[in-house]
PDB file of all heavy atoms in Angstrom:
ATOM      1  N   ILE A   1     125.880 126.120  91.387  1.00  0.00           N
ATOM      2  CA  ILE A   1     126.253 124.923  92.144  1.00  0.00           C
ATOM      3  C   ILE A   1     126.418 123.808  91.121  1.00  0.00           C
ATOM      4  O   ILE A   1     125.526 123.581  90.301  1.00  0.00           O
ATOM      5  CB  ILE A   1     125.173 124.579  93.183  1.00  0.00           C
ATOM      6  CG1 ILE A   1     125.108 125.690  94.236  1.00  0.00           C
ATOM      7  CG2 ILE A   1     125.442 123.227  93.824  1.00  0.00           C
ATOM      8  CD1 ILE A   1     123.943 125.592  95.192  1.00  0.00           C
ATOM      9  N   PRO A   2     127.553 123.117  91.112  1.00  0.00           N
ATOM     10  CA  PRO A   2     127.798 122.088  90.093  1.00  0.00           C
ATOM     11  C   PRO A   2     126.885 120.863  90.292  1.00  0.00           C
ATOM     12  O   PRO A   2     127.085 120.067  91.207  1.00  0.00           O
ATOM     13  CB  PRO A   2     129.266 121.736  90.282  1.00  0.00           C
ATOM     14  CG  PRO A   2     129.614 122.187  91.662  1.00  0.00           C
ATOM     15  CD  PRO A   2     128.670 123.286  92.019  1.00  0.00           C
ATOM     16  N   LEU A   3     125.892 120.743  89.426  1.00  0.00           N
ATOM     17  CA  LEU A   3     124.925 119.649  89.531  1.00  0.00           C
ATOM     18  C   LEU A   3     125.572 118.282  89.383  1.00  0.00           C
ATOM     19  O   LEU A   3     125.079 117.300  89.943  1.00  0.00           O
ATOM     20  CB  LEU A   3     123.816 119.822  88.486  1.00  0.00           C
ATOM     21  CG  LEU A   3     122.988 121.105  88.588  1.00  0.00           C
ATOM     22  CD1 LEU A   3     121.878 121.086  87.549  1.00  0.00           C
ATOM     23  CD2 LEU A   3     122.440 121.313  89.981  1.00  0.00           C
ATOM     24  N   GLU A   4     126.689 118.211  88.663  1.00  0.00           N
ATOM     25  CA  GLU A   4     127.350 116.918  88.473  1.00  0.00           C
ATOM     26  C   GLU A   4     127.891 116.362  89.793  1.00  0.00           C
ATOM     27  O   GLU A   4     128.176 115.161  89.895  1.00  0.00           O
ATOM     28  CB  GLU A   4     128.466 117.006  87.417  1.00  0.00           C
ATOM     29  CG  GLU A   4     129.629 117.891  87.790  1.00  0.00           C
ATOM     30  CD  GLU A   4     129.449 119.360  87.434  1.00  0.00           C
ATOM     31  OE1 GLU A   4     128.358 119.772  86.986  1.00  0.00           O
ATOM     32  OE2 GLU A   4     130.424 120.111  87.603  1.00  0.00           O
ATOM     33  N   HIS A   5     128.005 117.176  90.820  1.00  0.00           N
ATOM     34  CA  HIS A   5     128.443 116.693  92.134  1.00  0.00           C
ATOM     35  C   HIS A   5     127.294 116.024  92.886  1.00  0.00           C
ATOM     36  O   HIS A   5     127.526 115.423  93.941  1.00  0.00           O
ATOM     37  CB  HIS A   5     128.996 117.837  92.973  1.00  0.00           C
ATOM     38  CG  HIS A   5     130.285 118.373  92.458  1.00  0.00           C
ATOM     39  ND1 HIS A   5     130.998 119.327  93.123  1.00  0.00           N
ATOM     40  CD2 HIS A   5     131.007 118.102  91.347  1.00  0.00           C
ATOM     41  CE1 HIS A   5     132.091 119.624  92.452  1.00  0.00           C
ATOM     42  NE2 HIS A   5     132.100 118.890  91.358  1.00  0.00           N
ATOM     43  N   PHE A   6     126.093 116.126  92.342  1.00  0.00           N
ATOM     44  CA  PHE A   6     124.899 115.583  92.979  1.00  0.00           C
ATOM     45  C   PHE A   6     124.072 114.775  91.978  1.00  0.00           C
ATOM     46  O   PHE A   6     122.948 115.153  91.647  1.00  0.00           O
ATOM     47  CB  PHE A   6     124.050 116.718  93.567  1.00  0.00           C
ATOM     48  CG  PHE A   6     124.784 117.554  94.571  1.00  0.00           C
ATOM     49  CD1 PHE A   6     125.425 118.714  94.187  1.00  0.00           C
ATOM     50  CD2 PHE A   6     124.836 117.163  95.899  1.00  0.00           C
ATOM     51  CE1 PHE A   6     126.104 119.488  95.117  1.00  0.00           C
ATOM     52  CE2 PHE A   6     125.514 117.928  96.830  1.00  0.00           C
ATOM     53  CZ  PHE A   6     126.153 119.091  96.442  1.00  0.00           C
ATOM     54  N   PRO A   7     124.619 113.661  91.474  1.00  0.00           N
ATOM     55  CA  PRO A   7     123.857 112.870  90.496  1.00  0.00           C
ATOM     56  C   PRO A   7     122.582 112.288  91.122  1.00  0.00           C
ATOM     57  O   PRO A   7     122.574 111.884  92.294  1.00  0.00           O
ATOM     58  CB  PRO A   7     124.830 111.780  90.078  1.00  0.00           C
ATOM     59  CG  PRO A   7     125.843 111.708  91.176  1.00  0.00           C
ATOM     60  CD  PRO A   7     125.903 113.068  91.794  1.00  0.00           C
ATOM     61  N   VAL A   8     121.531 112.265  90.343  1.00  0.00           N
ATOM     62  CA  VAL A   8     120.217 111.868  90.842  1.00  0.00           C
ATOM     63  C   VAL A   8     120.120 110.367  91.115  1.00  0.00           C
ATOM     64  O   VAL A   8     119.655 109.954  92.185  1.00  0.00           O
ATOM     65  CB  VAL A   8     119.109 112.307  89.858  1.00  0.00           C
ATOM     66  CG1 VAL A   8     117.750 111.761  90.286  1.00  0.00           C
ATOM     67  CG2 VAL A   8     119.076 113.826  89.762  1.00  0.00           C
ATOM     68  N   GLU A   9     120.536 109.534  90.177  1.00  0.00           N
ATOM     69  CA  GLU A   9     120.316 108.088  90.341  1.00  0.00           C
ATOM     70  C   GLU A   9     121.022 107.506  91.567  1.00  0.00           C
ATOM     71  O   GLU A   9     120.414 106.714  92.290  1.00  0.00           O
ATOM     72  CB  GLU A   9     120.674 107.338  89.059  1.00  0.00           C
ATOM     73  CG  GLU A   9     119.704 107.614  87.915  1.00  0.00           C
ATOM     74  CD  GLU A   9     118.233 107.451  88.304  1.00  0.00           C
ATOM     75  OE1 GLU A   9     117.860 106.438  88.934  1.00  0.00           O
ATOM     76  OE2 GLU A   9     117.440 108.354  87.973  1.00  0.00           O
ATOM     77  N   PRO A  10     122.283 107.854  91.840  1.00  0.00           N
ATOM     78  CA  PRO A  10     122.889 107.349  93.076  1.00  0.00           C
ATOM     79  C   PRO A  10     122.170 107.855  94.330  1.00  0.00           C
ATOM     80  O   PRO A  10     122.077 107.146  95.330  1.00  0.00           O
ATOM     81  CB  PRO A  10     124.331 107.870  93.029  1.00  0.00           C
ATOM     82  CG  PRO A  10     124.601 108.099  91.590  1.00  0.00           C
ATOM     83  CD  PRO A  10     123.278 108.535  91.009  1.00  0.00           C
ATOM     84  N   ALA A  11     121.630 109.074  94.263  1.00  0.00           N
ATOM     85  CA  ALA A  11     120.878 109.605  95.400  1.00  0.00           C
ATOM     86  C   ALA A  11     119.588 108.811  95.605  1.00  0.00           C
ATOM     87  O   ALA A  11     119.232 108.481  96.744  1.00  0.00           O
ATOM     88  CB  ALA A  11     120.575 111.081  95.197  1.00  0.00           C
ATOM     89  N   VAL A  12     118.896 108.492  94.528  1.00  0.00           N
ATOM     90  CA  VAL A  12     117.665 107.699  94.636  1.00  0.00           C
ATOM     91  C   VAL A  12     117.992 106.317  95.199  1.00  0.00           C
ATOM     92  O   VAL A  12     117.326 105.842  96.129  1.00  0.00           O
ATOM     93  CB  VAL A  12     116.945 107.586  93.268  1.00  0.00           C
ATOM     94  CG1 VAL A  12     115.804 106.578  93.344  1.00  0.00           C
ATOM     95  CG2 VAL A  12     116.436 108.946  92.823  1.00  0.00           C
ATOM     96  N   ALA A  13     119.020 105.682  94.673  1.00  0.00           N
ATOM     97  CA  ALA A  13     119.416 104.356  95.167  1.00  0.00           C
ATOM     98  C   ALA A  13     119.810 104.423  96.639  1.00  0.00           C
ATOM     99  O   ALA A  13     119.430 103.556  97.436  1.00  0.00           O
ATOM    100  CB  ALA A  13     120.567 103.803  94.330  1.00  0.00           C
ATOM    101  N   GLY A  14     120.553 105.445  97.013  1.00  0.00           N
ATOM    102  CA  GLY A  14     120.951 105.605  98.406  1.00  0.00           C
ATOM    103  C   GLY A  14     119.763 105.850  99.310  1.00  0.00           C
ATOM    104  O   GLY A  14     119.695 105.302 100.427  1.00  0.00           O
ATOM    105  N   ALA A  15     118.823 106.652  98.847  1.00  0.00           N
ATOM    106  CA  ALA A  15     117.624 106.937  99.636  1.00  0.00           C
ATOM    107  C   ALA A  15     116.795 105.670  99.835  1.00  0.00           C
ATOM    108  O   ALA A  15     116.299 105.410 100.936  1.00  0.00           O
ATOM    109  CB  ALA A  15     116.794 108.017  98.958  1.00  0.00           C
ATOM    110  N   LEU A  16     116.677 104.865  98.791  1.00  0.00           N
ATOM    111  CA  LEU A  16     115.936 103.607  98.910  1.00  0.00           C
ATOM    112  C   LEU A  16     116.615 102.667  99.894  1.00  0.00           C
ATOM    113  O   LEU A  16     115.953 102.035 100.735  1.00  0.00           O
ATOM    114  CB  LEU A  16     115.794 102.946  97.537  1.00  0.00           C
ATOM    115  CG  LEU A  16     114.870 103.654  96.552  1.00  0.00           C
ATOM    116  CD1 LEU A  16     115.007 103.058  95.160  1.00  0.00           C
ATOM    117  CD2 LEU A  16     113.428 103.599  97.036  1.00  0.00           C
ATOM    118  N   ALA A  17     117.939 102.561  99.811  1.00  0.00           N
ATOM    119  CA  ALA A  17     118.692 101.698 100.732  1.00  0.00           C
ATOM    120  C   ALA A  17     118.577 102.214 102.169  1.00  0.00           C
ATOM    121  O   ALA A  17     118.420 101.435 103.110  1.00  0.00           O
ATOM    122  CB  ALA A  17     120.156 101.624 100.306  1.00  0.00           C
ATOM    123  N   TRP A  18     118.644 103.534 102.331  1.00  0.00           N
ATOM    124  CA  TRP A  18     118.517 104.141 103.651  1.00  0.00           C
ATOM    125  C   TRP A  18     117.167 103.805 104.269  1.00  0.00           C
ATOM    126  O   TRP A  18     117.067 103.398 105.425  1.00  0.00           O
ATOM    127  CB  TRP A  18     118.688 105.653 103.525  1.00  0.00           C
ATOM    128  CG  TRP A  18     118.612 106.393 104.822  1.00  0.00           C
ATOM    129  CD1 TRP A  18     119.655 106.736 105.630  1.00  0.00           C
ATOM    130  CD2 TRP A  18     117.428 106.885 105.460  1.00  0.00           C
ATOM    131  NE1 TRP A  18     119.194 107.415 106.737  1.00  0.00           N
ATOM    132  CE2 TRP A  18     117.829 107.520 106.651  1.00  0.00           C
ATOM    133  CE3 TRP A  18     116.080 106.850 105.135  1.00  0.00           C
ATOM    134  CZ2 TRP A  18     116.920 108.106 107.522  1.00  0.00           C
ATOM    135  CZ3 TRP A  18     115.167 107.432 106.013  1.00  0.00           C
ATOM    136  CH2 TRP A  18     115.595 108.052 107.183  1.00  0.00           C
ATOM    137  N   SER A  19     116.126 103.984 103.468  1.00  0.00           N
ATOM    138  CA  SER A  19     114.772 103.717 103.940  1.00  0.00           C
ATOM    139  C   SER A  19     114.600 102.245 104.310  1.00  0.00           C
ATOM    140  O   SER A  19     114.038 101.920 105.352  1.00  0.00           O
ATOM    141  CB  SER A  19     113.760 104.135 102.866  1.00  0.00           C
ATOM    142  OG  SER A  19     112.444 103.958 103.325  1.00  0.00           O
ATOM    143  N   ALA A  20     115.102 101.358 103.465  1.00  0.00           N
ATOM    144  CA  ALA A  20     115.002  99.923 103.740  1.00  0.00           C
ATOM    145  C   ALA A  20     115.760  99.561 105.016  1.00  0.00           C
ATOM    146  O   ALA A  20     115.273  98.776 105.835  1.00  0.00           O
ATOM    147  CB  ALA A  20     115.535  99.124 102.554  1.00  0.00           C
ATOM    148  N   ALA A  21     116.949 100.129 105.202  1.00  0.00           N
ATOM    149  CA  ALA A  21     117.747  99.848 106.397  1.00  0.00           C
ATOM    150  C   ALA A  21     117.033 100.322 107.661  1.00  0.00           C
ATOM    151  O   ALA A  21     117.218  99.757 108.739  1.00  0.00           O
ATOM    152  CB  ALA A  21     119.118 100.504 106.293  1.00  0.00           C
ATOM    153  N   ALA A  22     116.209 101.357 107.517  1.00  0.00           N
ATOM    154  CA  ALA A  22     115.455 101.883 108.657  1.00  0.00           C
ATOM    155  C   ALA A  22     114.137 101.142 108.857  1.00  0.00           C
ATOM    156  O   ALA A  22     113.379 101.454 109.776  1.00  0.00           O
ATOM    157  CB  ALA A  22     115.189 103.373 108.459  1.00  0.00           C
ATOM    158  N   GLY A  23     113.835 100.162 107.982  1.00  0.00           N
ATOM    159  CA  GLY A  23     112.598  99.397 108.097  1.00  0.00           C
ATOM    160  C   GLY A  23     111.371 100.164 107.632  1.00  0.00           C
ATOM    161  O   GLY A  23     110.258  99.865 108.051  1.00  0.00           O
ATOM    162  N   LEU A  24     111.570 101.130 106.752  1.00  0.00           N
ATOM    163  CA  LEU A  24     110.470 101.946 106.244  1.00  0.00           C
ATOM    164  C   LEU A  24     110.046 101.475 104.852  1.00  0.00           C
ATOM    165  O   LEU A  24     110.736 100.670 104.229  1.00  0.00           O
ATOM    166  CB  LEU A  24     110.908 103.412 106.182  1.00  0.00           C
ATOM    167  CG  LEU A  24     111.373 104.018 107.502  1.00  0.00           C
ATOM    168  CD1 LEU A  24     111.970 105.395 107.280  1.00  0.00           C
ATOM    169  CD2 LEU A  24     110.248 104.058 108.508  1.00  0.00           C
ATOM    170  N   THR A  25     108.952 102.006 104.370  1.00  0.00           N
ATOM    171  CA  THR A  25     108.458 101.682 103.037  1.00  0.00           C
ATOM    172  C   THR A  25     108.540 102.931 102.167  1.00  0.00           C
ATOM    173  O   THR A  25     107.705 103.830 102.273  1.00  0.00           O
ATOM    174  CB  THR A  25     106.997 101.183 103.100  1.00  0.00           C
ATOM    175  OG1 THR A  25     106.933 100.079 104.003  1.00  0.00           O
ATOM    176  CG2 THR A  25     106.512 100.762 101.724  1.00  0.00           C
ATOM    177  N   PRO A  26     109.566 103.003 101.310  1.00  0.00           N
ATOM    178  CA  PRO A  26     109.744 104.203 100.487  1.00  0.00           C
ATOM    179  C   PRO A  26     108.890 104.178  99.223  1.00  0.00           C
ATOM    180  O   PRO A  26     108.404 103.143  98.800  1.00  0.00           O
ATOM    181  CB  PRO A  26     111.220 104.146 100.121  1.00  0.00           C
ATOM    182  CG  PRO A  26     111.502 102.680 100.042  1.00  0.00           C
ATOM    183  CD  PRO A  26     110.657 102.054 101.129  1.00  0.00           C
ATOM    184  N   ASP A  27     108.748 105.339  98.623  1.00  0.00           N
ATOM    185  CA  ASP A  27     108.067 105.504  97.341  1.00  0.00           C
ATOM    186  C   ASP A  27     109.128 106.004  96.363  1.00  0.00           C
ATOM    187  O   ASP A  27     109.490 107.180  96.376  1.00  0.00           O
ATOM    188  CB  ASP A  27     106.934 106.508  97.487  1.00  0.00           C
ATOM    189  CG  ASP A  27     106.183 106.774  96.192  1.00  0.00           C
ATOM    190  OD1 ASP A  27     106.763 106.582  95.090  1.00  0.00           O
ATOM    191  OD2 ASP A  27     105.023 107.208  96.277  1.00  0.00           O
ATOM    192  N   GLU A  28     109.647 105.105  95.536  1.00  0.00           N
ATOM    193  CA  GLU A  28     110.763 105.437  94.651  1.00  0.00           C
ATOM    194  C   GLU A  28     110.467 106.613  93.730  1.00  0.00           C
ATOM    195  O   GLU A  28     111.295 107.515  93.574  1.00  0.00           O
ATOM    196  CB  GLU A  28     111.176 104.220  93.820  1.00  0.00           C
ATOM    197  CG  GLU A  28     112.353 104.493  92.922  1.00  0.00           C
ATOM    198  CD  GLU A  28     112.833 103.265  92.170  1.00  0.00           C
ATOM    199  OE1 GLU A  28     112.383 102.139  92.450  1.00  0.00           O
ATOM    200  OE2 GLU A  28     113.687 103.443  91.288  1.00  0.00           O
ATOM    201  N   GLU A  29     109.300 106.630  93.125  1.00  0.00           N
ATOM    202  CA  GLU A  29     108.976 107.715  92.204  1.00  0.00           C
ATOM    203  C   GLU A  29     108.885 109.052  92.942  1.00  0.00           C
ATOM    204  O   GLU A  29     109.342 110.083  92.440  1.00  0.00           O
ATOM    205  CB  GLU A  29     107.672 107.432  91.453  1.00  0.00           C
ATOM    206  CG  GLU A  29     107.365 108.432  90.365  1.00  0.00           C
ATOM    207  CD  GLU A  29     108.489 108.618  89.347  1.00  0.00           C
ATOM    208  OE1 GLU A  29     109.162 107.643  88.983  1.00  0.00           O
ATOM    209  OE2 GLU A  29     108.709 109.769  88.914  1.00  0.00           O
ATOM    210  N   ALA A  30     108.321 109.042  94.134  1.00  0.00           N
ATOM    211  CA  ALA A  30     108.218 110.277  94.913  1.00  0.00           C
ATOM    212  C   ALA A  30     109.593 110.756  95.374  1.00  0.00           C
ATOM    213  O   ALA A  30     109.847 111.959  95.437  1.00  0.00           O
ATOM    214  CB  ALA A  30     107.291 110.071  96.105  1.00  0.00           C
ATOM    215  N   ILE A  31     110.489 109.825  95.677  1.00  0.00           N
ATOM    216  CA  ILE A  31     111.865 110.201  96.022  1.00  0.00           C
ATOM    217  C   ILE A  31     112.512 110.891  94.831  1.00  0.00           C
ATOM    218  O   ILE A  31     113.095 111.965  94.955  1.00  0.00           O
ATOM    219  CB  ILE A  31     112.692 108.976  96.465  1.00  0.00           C
ATOM    220  CG1 ILE A  31     112.212 108.470  97.827  1.00  0.00           C
ATOM    221  CG2 ILE A  31     114.190 109.303  96.498  1.00  0.00           C
ATOM    222  CD1 ILE A  31     112.808 107.144  98.251  1.00  0.00           C
ATOM    223  N   ARG A  32     112.395 110.271  93.667  1.00  0.00           N
ATOM    224  CA  ARG A  32     112.981 110.840  92.444  1.00  0.00           C
ATOM    225  C   ARG A  32     112.398 112.224  92.158  1.00  0.00           C
ATOM    226  O   ARG A  32     113.126 113.163  91.835  1.00  0.00           O
ATOM    227  CB  ARG A  32     112.768 109.898  91.269  1.00  0.00           C
ATOM    228  CG  ARG A  32     113.411 110.381  89.975  1.00  0.00           C
ATOM    229  CD  ARG A  32     113.320 109.369  88.851  1.00  0.00           C
ATOM    230  NE  ARG A  32     114.380 108.369  88.998  1.00  0.00           N
ATOM    231  CZ  ARG A  32     114.215 107.139  89.506  1.00  0.00           C
ATOM    232  NH1 ARG A  32     113.029 106.743  89.894  1.00  0.00           N
ATOM    233  NH2 ARG A  32     115.217 106.304  89.618  1.00  0.00           N
ATOM    234  N   GLN A  33     111.099 112.353  92.326  1.00  0.00           N
ATOM    235  CA  GLN A  33     110.445 113.635  92.069  1.00  0.00           C
ATOM    236  C   GLN A  33     110.945 114.699  93.049  1.00  0.00           C
ATOM    237  O   GLN A  33     111.172 115.848  92.666  1.00  0.00           O
ATOM    238  CB  GLN A  33     108.938 113.478  92.163  1.00  0.00           C
ATOM    239  CG  GLN A  33     108.188 114.722  91.770  1.00  0.00           C
ATOM    240  CD  GLN A  33     106.687 114.499  91.753  1.00  0.00           C
ATOM    241  OE1 GLN A  33     106.186 113.497  92.261  1.00  0.00           O
ATOM    242  NE2 GLN A  33     105.957 115.418  91.168  1.00  0.00           N
ATOM    243  N   SER A  34     111.133 114.336  94.302  1.00  0.00           N
ATOM    244  CA  SER A  34     111.648 115.287  95.296  1.00  0.00           C
ATOM    245  C   SER A  34     113.050 115.756  94.947  1.00  0.00           C
ATOM    246  O   SER A  34     113.401 116.917  95.146  1.00  0.00           O
ATOM    247  CB  SER A  34     111.670 114.647  96.687  1.00  0.00           C
ATOM    248  OG  SER A  34     110.385 114.301  97.106  1.00  0.00           O
ATOM    249  N   LEU A  35     113.856 114.835  94.424  1.00  0.00           N
ATOM    250  CA  LEU A  35     115.248 115.150  94.111  1.00  0.00           C
ATOM    251  C   LEU A  35     115.423 115.837  92.757  1.00  0.00           C
ATOM    252  O   LEU A  35     116.509 116.335  92.466  1.00  0.00           O
ATOM    253  CB  LEU A  35     116.098 113.875  94.165  1.00  0.00           C
ATOM    254  CG  LEU A  35     116.250 113.249  95.555  1.00  0.00           C
ATOM    255  CD1 LEU A  35     116.891 111.874  95.450  1.00  0.00           C
ATOM    256  CD2 LEU A  35     117.037 114.159  96.476  1.00  0.00           C
ATOM    257  N   THR A  36     114.381 115.868  91.951  1.00  0.00           N
ATOM    258  CA  THR A  36     114.485 116.505  90.633  1.00  0.00           C
ATOM    259  C   THR A  36     113.506 117.653  90.455  1.00  0.00           C
ATOM    260  O   THR A  36     113.617 118.420  89.502  1.00  0.00           O
ATOM    261  CB  THR A  36     114.254 115.492  89.499  1.00  0.00           C
ATOM    262  OG1 THR A  36     112.957 114.908  89.646  1.00  0.00           O
ATOM    263  CG2 THR A  36     115.323 114.412  89.494  1.00  0.00           C
TER     264      THR A  36
END
């Protein structure tokens, strides 16, 4: 599966924005760890 189609940093930024838009409190490091 081409990993370059799934860059980590944009996914982390998107996940943080998603969580904030939902009114949640994300854990950035844990998000990054889940995605890597």
Side-chain angles (χ1 to χ4, degrees):
I1 294 171
L3 300 184
E4 65 273 6
H5 291 185
F6 302 94
V8 173
E9 291 310 313
V12 171
L16 290 170
W18 181 93
S19 183
L24 302 172
T25 305
D27 179 335
E28 182 176 351
E29 187 54 38
I31 290 171
R32 183 174 279 101
Q33 186 175 13
S34 298
L35 293 170
T36 59

